[in-house]
Amino acid sequence: MVNDQDYVAIFHSIHRVLRAEQLLKGAGAGFLLIPVPRKLTSDCGLALRISPAQLAEVFVVLDAAGLLPPELYQLRAGEYAPVEPASVAPPSGTA
């Protein structure tokens, strides 16, 4: 289940989402691997649910590995609003 204000990161392949999961678990970052919500689509079928409090930490890990998700959404009042992943990524050289 995705809670209001949570983010959903979508990758376009199962290999990338599983690699992201492995990296984030190793870093102790807070996230949850979930099925892609029905309102969103993905060939992969899996996504990462990230709370707003954990977003920066998760993106530091993913950015350092060159593994930013191509799609990011935030649940706002029951609707998924697209968010540009690059706008959440840490500035160059800080990861």
Side-chain angles (χ1 to χ4, degrees), residues 33-77:
L33 189 64
I34 62 168
V36 172
R38 292 177 194 222
K39 291 184 179 182
L40 304 174
T41 60
S42 170
D43 293 335
C44 157
L46 293 174
L48 301 180
R49 184 187 83 188
I50 309 161
S51 73
Q54 299 295 321
L55 188 65
E57 177 185 6
V58 166
F59 266 65
V60 165
V61 173
L62 295 178
D63 187 51
L67 200 59
L68 290 179
E71 296 180 55
L72 182 66
Y73 298 89
Q74 186 178 31
L75 186 62
R76 299 178 189 154

Short mmCIF file of all heavy atoms in Angstrom, two decimals, residues 33-77:
data_model
loop_
_atom_site.label_atom_id
_atom_site.label_comp_id
_atom_site.label_asym_id
_atom_site.label_seq_id
_atom_site.Cartn_x
_atom_site.Cartn_y
_atom_site.Cartn_z
N LEU A 33 9.88 -2.64 -1.49
CA LEU A 33 9.65 -3.15 -2.83
C LEU A 33 8.17 -3.52 -2.93
O LEU A 33 7.66 -4.28 -2.11
CB LEU A 33 10.53 -4.38 -3.09
CG LEU A 33 10.56 -4.92 -4.51
CD1 LEU A 33 11.17 -3.91 -5.47
CD2 LEU A 33 11.35 -6.22 -4.55
N ILE A 34 7.47 -2.95 -3.92
CA ILE A 34 6.03 -3.16 -4.07
C ILE A 34 5.67 -3.46 -5.51
O ILE A 34 6.43 -3.14 -6.42
CB ILE A 34 5.23 -1.90 -3.61
CG1 ILE A 34 5.57 -0.69 -4.48
CG2 ILE A 34 5.46 -1.61 -2.14
CD1 ILE A 34 4.65 0.50 -4.31
N PRO A 35 4.49 -4.05 -5.74
CA PRO A 35 3.99 -4.13 -7.12
C PRO A 35 3.69 -2.71 -7.62
O PRO A 35 3.29 -1.85 -6.83
CB PRO A 35 2.70 -4.94 -7.00
CG PRO A 35 2.71 -5.55 -5.65
CD PRO A 35 3.61 -4.70 -4.79
N VAL A 36 3.89 -2.48 -8.89
CA VAL A 36 3.56 -1.16 -9.44
C VAL A 36 2.06 -0.92 -9.26
O VAL A 36 1.25 -1.79 -9.60
CB VAL A 36 3.94 -1.09 -10.94
CG1 VAL A 36 3.43 0.21 -11.56
CG2 VAL A 36 5.45 -1.20 -11.11
N PRO A 37 1.67 0.22 -8.69
CA PRO A 37 0.25 0.50 -8.51
C PRO A 37 -0.51 0.45 -9.84
O PRO A 37 0.03 0.80 -10.89
CB PRO A 37 0.24 1.92 -7.93
CG PRO A 37 1.57 2.04 -7.25
CD PRO A 37 2.52 1.26 -8.12
N ARG A 38 -1.76 0.03 -9.79
CA ARG A 38 -2.56 -0.15 -11.01
C ARG A 38 -2.71 1.13 -11.82
O ARG A 38 -2.86 1.07 -13.04
CB ARG A 38 -3.93 -0.70 -10.66
CG ARG A 38 -3.86 -2.10 -10.15
CD ARG A 38 -5.21 -2.61 -9.72
NE ARG A 38 -5.00 -3.82 -8.94
CZ ARG A 38 -5.72 -4.91 -9.06
NH1 ARG A 38 -6.72 -4.94 -9.89
NH2 ARG A 38 -5.45 -5.95 -8.33
N LYS A 39 -2.70 2.27 -11.15
CA LYS A 39 -2.84 3.54 -11.86
C LYS A 39 -1.59 3.89 -12.66
O LYS A 39 -1.63 4.79 -13.50
CB LYS A 39 -3.16 4.67 -10.89
CG LYS A 39 -4.54 4.57 -10.29
CD LYS A 39 -4.82 5.78 -9.41
CE LYS A 39 -6.22 5.70 -8.82
NZ LYS A 39 -6.52 6.89 -8.01
N LEU A 40 -0.50 3.22 -12.38
CA LEU A 40 0.75 3.43 -13.09
C LEU A 40 1.07 2.17 -13.89
O LEU A 40 0.57 1.09 -13.58
CB LEU A 40 1.88 3.72 -12.10
CG LEU A 40 1.65 4.90 -11.15
CD1 LEU A 40 2.78 4.98 -10.14
CD2 LEU A 40 1.54 6.20 -11.92
N THR A 41 1.91 2.29 -14.88
CA THR A 41 2.26 1.11 -15.67
C THR A 41 3.77 0.94 -15.72
O THR A 41 4.52 1.90 -15.64
CB THR A 41 1.74 1.22 -17.12
OG1 THR A 41 2.31 2.38 -17.72
CG2 THR A 41 0.23 1.30 -17.16
N SER A 42 4.18 -0.31 -15.85
CA SER A 42 5.59 -0.62 -15.98
C SER A 42 5.72 -2.04 -16.51
O SER A 42 4.98 -2.93 -16.10
CB SER A 42 6.29 -0.53 -14.62
OG SER A 42 7.59 -1.05 -14.70
N ASP A 43 6.65 -2.25 -17.42
CA ASP A 43 6.91 -3.60 -17.94
C ASP A 43 7.48 -4.49 -16.85
O ASP A 43 7.31 -5.69 -16.86
CB ASP A 43 7.89 -3.54 -19.11
CG ASP A 43 7.29 -2.87 -20.33
OD1 ASP A 43 6.06 -2.86 -20.45
OD2 ASP A 43 8.08 -2.35 -21.14
N CYS A 44 8.15 -3.88 -15.90
CA CYS A 44 8.85 -4.63 -14.86
C CYS A 44 7.89 -5.20 -13.82
O CYS A 44 8.07 -6.29 -13.33
CB CYS A 44 9.86 -3.69 -14.22
SG CYS A 44 10.37 -4.10 -12.58
N GLY A 45 6.86 -4.44 -13.45
CA GLY A 45 5.88 -4.91 -12.48
C GLY A 45 6.22 -4.63 -11.03
O GLY A 45 5.39 -4.78 -10.16
N LEU A 46 7.45 -4.19 -10.75
CA LEU A 46 7.85 -3.87 -9.38
C LEU A 46 8.32 -2.42 -9.31
O LEU A 46 8.82 -1.87 -10.29
CB LEU A 46 8.99 -4.78 -8.91
CG LEU A 46 8.65 -6.25 -8.74
CD1 LEU A 46 9.91 -7.04 -8.43
CD2 LEU A 46 7.61 -6.45 -7.66
N ALA A 47 8.16 -1.83 -8.13
CA ALA A 47 8.57 -0.45 -7.92
C ALA A 47 9.10 -0.32 -6.49
O ALA A 47 8.94 -1.23 -5.68
CB ALA A 47 7.39 0.49 -8.14
N LEU A 48 9.69 0.82 -6.20
CA LEU A 48 10.13 1.12 -4.84
C LEU A 48 9.19 2.16 -4.25
O LEU A 48 8.92 3.18 -4.88
CB LEU A 48 11.54 1.69 -4.84
CG LEU A 48 12.66 0.85 -5.41
CD1 LEU A 48 13.99 1.59 -5.30
CD2 LEU A 48 12.74 -0.50 -4.72
N ARG A 49 8.68 1.88 -3.05
CA ARG A 49 7.91 2.87 -2.31
C ARG A 49 8.87 3.54 -1.34
O ARG A 49 9.58 2.86 -0.59
CB ARG A 49 6.76 2.24 -1.54
CG ARG A 49 5.89 3.30 -0.84
CD ARG A 49 4.88 2.67 0.04
NE ARG A 49 5.54 2.36 1.32
CZ ARG A 49 4.98 1.66 2.29
NH1 ARG A 49 3.79 1.13 2.15
NH2 ARG A 49 5.63 1.44 3.41
N ILE A 50 8.88 4.86 -1.36
CA ILE A 50 9.82 5.62 -0.54
C ILE A 50 9.05 6.70 0.20
O ILE A 50 8.31 7.47 -0.41
CB ILE A 50 10.90 6.28 -1.43
CG1 ILE A 50 11.54 5.25 -2.38
CG2 ILE A 50 11.96 6.97 -0.58
CD1 ILE A 50 12.25 5.85 -3.56
N SER A 51 9.24 6.77 1.50
CA SER A 51 8.59 7.82 2.28
C SER A 51 9.32 9.14 2.03
O SER A 51 10.51 9.14 1.69
CB SER A 51 8.60 7.49 3.77
OG SER A 51 9.89 7.65 4.29
N PRO A 52 8.62 10.26 2.19
CA PRO A 52 9.29 11.55 1.98
C PRO A 52 10.52 11.72 2.87
O PRO A 52 11.52 12.29 2.44
CB PRO A 52 8.20 12.57 2.35
CG PRO A 52 6.91 11.86 2.10
CD PRO A 52 7.18 10.42 2.45
N ALA A 53 10.48 11.19 4.08
CA ALA A 53 11.61 11.32 5.00
C ALA A 53 12.84 10.55 4.52
O ALA A 53 13.96 10.88 4.90
CB ALA A 53 11.21 10.84 6.39
N GLN A 54 12.64 9.52 3.71
CA GLN A 54 13.75 8.67 3.25
C GLN A 54 14.21 9.00 1.83
O GLN A 54 15.21 8.46 1.37
CB GLN A 54 13.32 7.20 3.29
CG GLN A 54 12.96 6.71 4.67
CD GLN A 54 14.14 6.73 5.61
OE1 GLN A 54 15.26 6.42 5.23
NE2 GLN A 54 13.89 7.12 6.84
N LEU A 55 13.49 9.88 1.14
CA LEU A 55 13.75 10.11 -0.28
C LEU A 55 15.19 10.55 -0.55
O LEU A 55 15.85 10.00 -1.43
CB LEU A 55 12.76 11.13 -0.85
CG LEU A 55 12.81 11.31 -2.36
CD1 LEU A 55 12.40 10.03 -3.07
CD2 LEU A 55 11.93 12.47 -2.79
N ALA A 56 15.68 11.53 0.18
CA ALA A 56 17.03 12.04 -0.07
C ALA A 56 18.07 10.94 0.12
O ALA A 56 18.97 10.78 -0.72
CB ALA A 56 17.33 13.23 0.84
N GLU A 57 17.95 10.18 1.20
CA GLU A 57 18.91 9.09 1.47
C GLU A 57 18.89 8.05 0.35
O GLU A 57 19.94 7.62 -0.13
CB GLU A 57 18.57 8.42 2.79
CG GLU A 57 19.46 7.25 3.13
CD GLU A 57 19.03 6.51 4.39
OE1 GLU A 57 17.97 6.82 4.96
OE2 GLU A 57 19.77 5.60 4.79
N VAL A 58 17.71 7.66 -0.09
CA VAL A 58 17.57 6.67 -1.16
C VAL A 58 18.20 7.20 -2.45
O VAL A 58 18.96 6.49 -3.13
CB VAL A 58 16.08 6.31 -1.38
CG1 VAL A 58 15.88 5.56 -2.69
CG2 VAL A 58 15.58 5.48 -0.20
N PHE A 59 17.94 8.46 -2.77
CA PHE A 59 18.46 9.00 -4.02
C PHE A 59 19.97 9.20 -3.99
O PHE A 59 20.62 9.12 -5.02
CB PHE A 59 17.70 10.27 -4.41
CG PHE A 59 16.57 9.97 -5.35
CD1 PHE A 59 15.49 9.21 -4.93
CD2 PHE A 59 16.59 10.42 -6.66
CE1 PHE A 59 14.46 8.91 -5.78
CE2 PHE A 59 15.56 10.12 -7.53
CZ PHE A 59 14.48 9.36 -7.10
N VAL A 60 20.55 9.45 -2.84
CA VAL A 60 22.02 9.53 -2.74
C VAL A 60 22.62 8.18 -3.12
O VAL A 60 23.57 8.10 -3.90
CB VAL A 60 22.46 9.95 -1.32
CG1 VAL A 60 23.94 9.68 -1.09
CG2 VAL A 60 22.15 11.42 -1.10
N VAL A 61 22.06 7.09 -2.59
CA VAL A 61 22.57 5.74 -2.88
C VAL A 61 22.38 5.42 -4.36
O VAL A 61 23.32 4.94 -5.02
CB VAL A 61 21.86 4.69 -1.99
CG1 VAL A 61 22.26 3.28 -2.40
CG2 VAL A 61 22.18 4.93 -0.53
N LEU A 62 21.19 5.66 -4.88
CA LEU A 62 20.91 5.33 -6.29
C LEU A 62 21.75 6.18 -7.24
O LEU A 62 22.27 5.68 -8.24
CB LEU A 62 19.43 5.50 -6.60
CG LEU A 62 18.49 4.55 -5.86
CD1 LEU A 62 17.04 4.86 -6.23
CD2 LEU A 62 18.82 3.10 -6.16
N ASP A 63 21.91 7.47 -6.93
CA ASP A 63 22.70 8.35 -7.79
C ASP A 63 24.16 7.92 -7.81
O ASP A 63 24.80 7.91 -8.87
CB ASP A 63 22.56 9.79 -7.31
CG ASP A 63 23.22 10.78 -8.26
OD1 ASP A 63 22.95 10.71 -9.48
OD2 ASP A 63 24.02 11.61 -7.78
N ALA A 64 24.70 7.54 -6.67
CA ALA A 64 26.10 7.11 -6.60
C ALA A 64 26.35 5.88 -7.46
O ALA A 64 27.44 5.68 -7.98
CB ALA A 64 26.49 6.82 -5.15
N ALA A 65 25.31 5.05 -7.64
CA ALA A 65 25.43 3.84 -8.45
C ALA A 65 24.99 4.07 -9.90
O ALA A 65 24.99 3.14 -10.70
CB ALA A 65 24.57 2.73 -7.84
N GLY A 66 24.62 5.30 -10.24
CA GLY A 66 24.14 5.58 -11.59
C GLY A 66 22.83 4.87 -11.88
O GLY A 66 22.60 4.42 -13.00
N LEU A 67 21.99 4.77 -10.88
CA LEU A 67 20.78 3.96 -10.99
C LEU A 67 19.51 4.75 -10.62
O LEU A 67 18.59 4.22 -10.01
CB LEU A 67 20.92 2.74 -10.08
CG LEU A 67 20.04 1.54 -10.34
CD1 LEU A 67 20.25 0.99 -11.74
CD2 LEU A 67 20.30 0.45 -9.31
N LEU A 68 19.46 6.02 -11.00
CA LEU A 68 18.25 6.79 -10.73
C LEU A 68 17.08 6.20 -11.54
O LEU A 68 17.26 5.80 -12.69
CB LEU A 68 18.44 8.26 -11.11
CG LEU A 68 19.37 9.06 -10.21
CD1 LEU A 68 19.47 10.49 -10.73
CD2 LEU A 68 18.89 9.05 -8.77
N PRO A 69 15.90 6.16 -10.96
CA PRO A 69 14.76 5.62 -11.69
C PRO A 69 14.34 6.57 -12.81
O PRO A 69 14.40 7.79 -12.64
CB PRO A 69 13.66 5.52 -10.63
CG PRO A 69 14.01 6.58 -9.64
CD PRO A 69 15.51 6.62 -9.63
N PRO A 70 13.92 6.03 -13.95
CA PRO A 70 13.46 6.90 -15.03
C PRO A 70 12.11 7.56 -14.74
O PRO A 70 11.79 8.58 -15.33
CB PRO A 70 13.38 5.98 -16.24
CG PRO A 70 13.40 4.60 -15.71
CD PRO A 70 14.00 4.64 -14.34
N GLU A 71 11.33 6.99 -13.82
CA GLU A 71 10.03 7.55 -13.49
C GLU A 71 9.88 7.63 -11.97
O GLU A 71 10.24 6.69 -11.26
CB GLU A 71 8.89 6.69 -14.04
CG GLU A 71 8.85 6.61 -15.55
CD GLU A 71 7.71 5.75 -16.03
OE1 GLU A 71 6.55 6.01 -15.64
OE2 GLU A 71 7.99 4.79 -16.77
N LEU A 72 9.33 8.74 -11.51
CA LEU A 72 9.08 8.94 -10.09
C LEU A 72 7.74 9.64 -9.94
O LEU A 72 7.44 10.59 -10.68
CB LEU A 72 10.19 9.80 -9.46
CG LEU A 72 10.11 10.05 -7.97
CD1 LEU A 72 10.29 8.75 -7.17
CD2 LEU A 72 11.16 11.08 -7.55
N TYR A 73 6.93 9.15 -9.01
CA TYR A 73 5.61 9.73 -8.76
C TYR A 73 5.45 9.93 -7.26
O TYR A 73 6.01 9.20 -6.47
CB TYR A 73 4.51 8.78 -9.25
CG TYR A 73 4.56 8.54 -10.73
CD1 TYR A 73 5.33 7.51 -11.26
CD2 TYR A 73 3.87 9.36 -11.62
CE1 TYR A 73 5.40 7.29 -12.62
CE2 TYR A 73 3.93 9.14 -12.98
CZ TYR A 73 4.70 8.11 -13.48
OH TYR A 73 4.76 7.90 -14.83
N GLN A 74 4.61 10.92 -6.91
CA GLN A 74 4.24 11.11 -5.51
C GLN A 74 2.72 11.03 -5.42
O GLN A 74 2.00 11.65 -6.22
CB GLN A 74 4.72 12.46 -4.99
CG GLN A 74 4.46 12.62 -3.49
CD GLN A 74 4.97 13.92 -2.93
OE1 GLN A 74 5.02 14.94 -3.62
NE2 GLN A 74 5.37 13.90 -1.68
N LEU A 75 2.24 10.26 -4.45
CA LEU A 75 0.81 10.13 -4.23
C LEU A 75 0.32 11.36 -3.48
O LEU A 75 0.78 11.65 -2.36
CB LEU A 75 0.48 8.86 -3.45
CG LEU A 75 -1.00 8.56 -3.27
CD1 LEU A 75 -1.68 8.34 -4.63
CD2 LEU A 75 -1.19 7.33 -2.40
N ARG A 76 -0.59 12.10 -4.11
CA ARG A 76 -1.14 13.32 -3.52
C ARG A 76 -2.66 13.27 -3.64
O ARG A 76 -3.19 13.32 -4.74
CB ARG A 76 -0.62 14.56 -4.23
CG ARG A 76 0.88 14.73 -4.16
CD ARG A 76 1.34 15.94 -4.92
NE ARG A 76 2.79 15.97 -5.02
CZ ARG A 76 3.45 16.58 -5.99
NH1 ARG A 76 2.80 17.24 -6.93
NH2 ARG A 76 4.76 16.55 -6.01
N ALA A 77 -3.33 13.14 -2.52
CA ALA A 77 -4.79 13.11 -2.48
C ALA A 77 -5.36 12.05 -3.43
O ALA A 77 -6.30 12.29 -4.16
CB ALA A 77 -5.36 14.49 -2.79
#
